[in-house]
Amino acid sequence: MAELMHTPLLGELLHTPLFGLLLTLASYRFAQWAYAKSNSLALFHPFIVAAIPVIIVLPLVGVPYEEYREQTALISFLLGPATVALAWPLYRQLHTVRSVWRPLLITVVIGAALASGLAVGLAWWLGAPETVVGSLAPKSITTPIAIEVARVTNGDVSLAAGAVAITGIVGALAAGPVFRLLRVEDDRIRGFALGLVAHAIGTARAFEFSEKAGAFGGLALGLTGLLTALALPWIWPWVSLLMG
């Protein structure tokens, strides 16, 4: 491997965007294959498995994570249009959303408050530093919004991003067993719960149930992110005072 890395042409390729893009796409394709072979077992969700080849390969070829992140800037940019594209399945379910908009709004307010409040309260009760508490506050909203909110709550951006990822993974893993235990079969409820608690990863998991579940997941993802981004910076000074 070391001799191969010293090949001039390959050495140049490693430090170009082409390497990062190929590694990312190949890892995700492998993750999809593993997920299909496992009969869609949540533990083998592509979001989890796709990270493994990247984690292994980068140190082997001597490419720092910061450089890899720059190489894959195009994929990060495309996350924005991909998120906006969630509006299409939501539009197809607009008639259903209109019939239940009141319960949905009440659920978002209560769910967003609990998702953030329980994390903050538990971390504070266990004696976590204020930086950690502030990083956990936006854990249930999508990463780009969580990063901006974490700056307002005096959190660490990297820790906040990690908390968001872990929340999404746990939500995707726990969804199936929880829904079966509670006998939840309505795709509207399953999708909305996943989007509210587990943001984008949960929404992707919701689409595996049905398009309707995915549409409600996307709706919850957007509403929870919007409500948290507007309310948390306003509420946080009082939360800081209570924490002493």
Side-chain angles (χ1 to χ4, degrees):
M1 176 67 76
E3 293 178 359
L4 188 61
M5 293 303 104
H6 286 94
T7 304
L9 182 60
L10 184 57
E12 293 179 7
L13 177 63
L14 292 175
H15 300 285
T16 65
L18 182 60
F19 168 73
L21 292 174
L22 287 176
L23 176 60
T24 303
L25 295 176
S27 298
Y28 185 69
R29 187 67 189 89
F30 165 75
Q32 286 184 311
W33 173 83
Y35 192 50
K37 288 294 184 181
S38 69
N39 293 321
S40 299
L41 186 65
L43 190 60
F44 287 88
H45 193 279
F47 186 87
I48 303 171
V49 177
I52 297 174
V54 176
I55 293 171
I56 294 173
V57 170
L58 289 183
L60 288 177
V61 300
V63 175
Y65 173 73
E66 291 75 14
E67 183 178 350
Y68 168 75
R69 186 170 58 184
E70 293 176 2
Q71 292 174 349
T72 55
L74 176 61
I75 295 178
S76 299
F77 170 78
L78 291 175
L79 287 175
T83 303
V84 174
L86 291 173
W88 173 245
L90 179 59
Y91 174 76
R92 288 167 56 91
Q93 299 294 328
L94 195 57
H95 61 286
T96 308
V97 173
R98 284 174 176 166
S99 65
V100 292
W101 67 270
R102 289 184 181 87
L104 292 182
L105 289 180
I106 294 172
T107 302
V108 165
V109 172
I110 296 175
L114 287 175
S116 181
L118 288 175
V120 169
L122 185 60
W124 173 73
W125 180 63
L126 293 174
E130 185 177 348
T131 302
V132 175
V133 177
S135 302
L136 293 177
K139 69 173 182 61
S140 290
I141 57 178
T142 190
T143 303
I145 304 176
I147 288 174
E148 297 303 319
V149 173
R151 293 192 174 104
V152 177
T153 59
N154 299 318
D156 181 85
V157 170
S158 298
L159 184 57
V164 169
I166 293 172
T167 300
I169 292 171
V170 172
L173 290 174
V178 170
F179 291 151
R180 286 192 294 271
L181 178 65
L182 299 179
R183 298 181 180 178
V184 177
E185 298 180 354
D186 191 324
D187 281 344
R188 297 173 302 175
I189 298 174
R190 294 196 288 193
F192 204 79
L194 276 164
L196 195 157
V197 175
H199 48 82
I201 302 175
T203 301
R205 179 78 172 97
F207 271 105
E208 296 178 17
F209 291 113
S210 70
E211 181 182 295
K212 179 183 289 187
F216 274 81
L219 177 62
L221 163 70
L223 291 177
T224 305
L226 177 63
L227 179 61
T228 305
L230 291 175
L232 199 55
W234 179 72
I235 295 173
W236 194 252
W238 282 274
V239 175
S240 298
L241 287 176
L242 288 175
M243 293 189 299

